[in-house]
């Protein structure tokens, strides 16, 4: 029997569709296994201010299909200080919370790791980010939904792009990772993707224009990952205007609509599996691990690995995109 009697759950950092499915699964799986559950609002901020509420099974009814997070999320600078974290720990003791489940991205897991080490609290993390940029899991919660949203948007832009014979640069999220741009391009039949992973190696824009954009094509759509390295869609379009002025260029920035919407079946199922696995992990006395899925199997990934390692992009896909866009 595990010594854990009460768990706290929070969502932190950028929200992602499927977080609610994860909250539901963690809550119900914990209650099923005889634990109490406390919902912590606004991420680490709520842990510091004590915005903590007991969760019963009905608190998570009718949320699996909702985007965003019912627990709200926040960015909290105070949690980056030892004083802030001490206050958070005092609240854990006050609320008699024995272990934490945190759902979020890289930053959320970094905070979880420091907190777990400082106060010897068992913490399990779930990868919740649309960017898919966490090492140790094939996909993250929210990524599939965001990818589908991008695909639907690009389909719509294609209609107008081909009517006017224009070159469109569509900016998608993924500050340091090109998963959304590359797979979004494959899914929507875009002509190319400009991603940060490749930017340091070569000039993707000039290569694309020299090799890829045929005059016989009605329209061209290029997905650009928002990034200082790529210059984003605006930066790339500015270059085209200067260097290749014969193109009729337009820019669309998809922005926050990529975060919203009802989670896809894949995100709901994955978040549910991961949420249940978080409670299994705590009962097995695991701590400081992120739950991942690799080749359909649940895995426990030490925080140190998930945070420090870069998740590589599948470079074969770049070639597939190049071949299929001729
Ligand atoms: P994400 O989890 O989506 O990557 P952030 O990077 O904003 O989002 O991180 C979410 C929160 O996690 C931060 O607002 C902060 O409270 C906490 N956090 C991030 N990095 C650290 C760190 N190095 N030490 C302590 N807390 C951190």
């Amino acid at each position: 029997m595990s010594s854990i009697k009460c768990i706290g759950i929070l969502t932190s950092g950028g929200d992602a569709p499927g977080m609610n499915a994860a909250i539901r699964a963690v809550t119900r799986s914990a209650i099923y296994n005889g634990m109490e559950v406390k919902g912590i609002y606004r991420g680490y901020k709520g842990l510091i201010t004590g915005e903590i509420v007991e969760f019963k099974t009905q608190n998570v009814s009718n949320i699996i299909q909702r985007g965003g997070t019912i627990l709200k999320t926040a960015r909290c600078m105070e949690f980056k200080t030892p004083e802030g974290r001490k206050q958070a720990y005092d609240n854990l003791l006050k609320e008699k919370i024995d272990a934490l489940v945190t759902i979020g991205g890289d930053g959320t897991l970094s905070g979880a790791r420091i907190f777990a080490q400082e106060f010897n609290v068992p913490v399990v993390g779930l990868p919740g980010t649309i960017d898919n940029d966490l090492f140790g899991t094939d996909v993250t919660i929210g990524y599939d939904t965001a990818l589908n949203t991008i695909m639907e948007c690009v389909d719509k832009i294609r209609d107008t792009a081909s009517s006017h014979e224009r070159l469109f640069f569509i900016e998608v999220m993924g500050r340091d990772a090109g998963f959304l741009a590359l797979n979004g391009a494959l899914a929507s039949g875009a002509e190319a993707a400009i991603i940060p992973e490749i930017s340091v190696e070569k000039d993707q824009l000039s290569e694309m224009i020299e090799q890829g954009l045929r005059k016989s094509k009605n329209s061209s759509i290029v997905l650009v990952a928002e990034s200082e390295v790529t210059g984003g869609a605006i930066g790339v379009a500015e270059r085209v205007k200067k260097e290749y002025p014969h193109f009729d260029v337009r820019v669309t920035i998809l922005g926050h609509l990529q975060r919203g919407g009802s989670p896809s079946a894949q995100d709901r199922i994955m978040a549910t599996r991961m949420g249940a696995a978080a409670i299994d992990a705590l009962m097995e006395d695991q701590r400081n691990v992120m739950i991942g899925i690799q080749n359909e199997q649940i895995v426990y990934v030490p925080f140190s690995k998930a945070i420090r390692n870069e998740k590589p992009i599948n470079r074969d896909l770049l070639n597939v995109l190049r071949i299929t866009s001729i």
Side-chain angles (χ1 to χ4, degrees):
M1 259 307 268
S2 162
S3 57
I4 296 170
K5 292 191 177 61
C6 176
I7 64 143
I9 175 168
L10 61 83
T11 51
S12 151
D15 63 306
M19 281 183 162
N20 283 328
I23 293 167
R24 172 180 175 272
V26 169
T27 302
R28 295 213 167 147
S29 182
I31 292 172
Y32 176 86
N33 286 291
M35 299 173 189
E36 269 180 64
V37 179
K38 296 204 171 164
I40 300 157
Y41 282 83
R42 296 180 177 78
Y44 296 124
K45 196 171 170 193
L47 200 52
I48 292 174
T49 57
E51 222 184 324
I52 301 170
V53 171
E54 186 170 355
F55 263 27
K56 301 285 188 193
T57 55
Q58 60 269 27
N59 287 85
V60 293
S61 292
N62 204 14
I63 65 167
I64 195 168
Q65 76 279 21
R66 285 164 59 187
T69 159
I70 60 158
L71 283 174
K72 313 285 182 197
T73 181
R75 297 206 150 90
C76 174
M77 293 316 288
E78 248 186 300
F79 198 73
K80 292 190 172 179
T81 67
E83 298 76 30
R85 292 193 295 272
K86 171 72 172 66
Q87 215 171 328
Y89 181 63
D90 288 344
N91 273 328
L92 275 196
L93 292 181
K94 194 170 131 209
E95 294 284 340
K96 298 191 167 43
I97 296 172
D98 308 308
L100 271 183
V101 177
T102 62
I103 310 170
D106 199 52
T108 300
L109 298 187
S110 301
R113 180 178 179 224
I114 293 171
F115 188 68
Q117 282 172 346
E118 269 176 354
F119 300 104
N120 197 24
V121 177
V123 186
V124 170
L126 296 188
T129 163
I130 64 165
D131 294 349
N132 196 31
D133 59 348
L134 282 169
F135 179 88
T137 186
D138 292 343
V139 271
T140 56
I141 296 168
Y143 171 63
D144 183 63
T145 306
L147 199 52
N148 277 288
T149 303
I150 289 168
M151 182 183 72
E152 285 165 23
C153 292
V154 177
D155 286 351
K156 290 190 168 75
I157 292 168
R158 175 73 78 184
D159 292 344
T160 169
S162 50
S163 301
H164 286 281
E165 304 182 323
R166 280 173 174 154
L167 168 57
F168 260 89
F169 290 105
I170 302 177
E171 184 173 298
V172 300
M173 286 188 170
R175 245 171 316 162
D176 303 305
F179 296 98
L180 285 173
L182 179 55
N183 286 307
L186 281 170
S188 57
E191 276 59 38
I194 295 184
I195 59 173
E197 288 88 340
I198 311 294
S199 288
V200 280
E201 291 166 29
K202 61 181 173 195
D203 184 348
Q204 296 171 92
L205 176 66
S206 56
E207 186 181 89
M208 179 190 93
I209 288 185
E210 275 151 33
Q211 294 179 357
L213 299 179
R214 279 188 292 112
K215 287 218 167 57
S216 58
K217 276 203 167 181
N218 244 336
S219 65
S220 291
I221 291 183
V222 179
L223 267 60
V224 185
E226 64 158 353
S227 159
E228 275 179 27
V229 196
T230 61
I234 292 175
V236 176
E238 291 296 322
R239 259 195 73 192
V240 174
K241 279 183 203 159
K242 266 194 220 133
E243 296 172 33
Y244 310 94
H246 53 287
F247 283 108
D248 185 11
V249 183
R250 290 292 184 277
V251 168
T252 301
I253 296 173
L254 295 187
H256 282 82
L257 70 81
Q258 294 165 88
R259 283 194 191 280
S262 177
S264 67
Q266 187 180 314
D267 272 333
R268 294 182 199 192
I269 294 165
M270 199 176 56
T272 300
R273 283 184 71 192
M274 286 178 166
I279 299 304
D280 289 343
L282 287 171
M283 289 194 304
E284 290 166 19
D285 285 330
Q286 293 280 345
R287 46 175 65 204
N288 296 349
V289 293
M290 178 192 84
I291 305 295
I293 292 186
Q294 292 174 13
N295 297 322
E296 282 299 308
Q297 301 300 314
I298 292 283
V299 290
Y300 301 151
V301 188
F303 281 153
S304 53
K305 277 195 177 169
I307 295 160
R308 253 193 247 128
N309 294 333
E310 291 271 304
K311 180 163 165 182
I313 201 109
N314 181 351
R315 285 172 181 250
D316 294 345
L317 299 183
L318 283 166
N319 205 32
V320 175
L321 180 61
R322 196 172 54 77
I323 291 167
T324 51
S325 66
I326 58 168

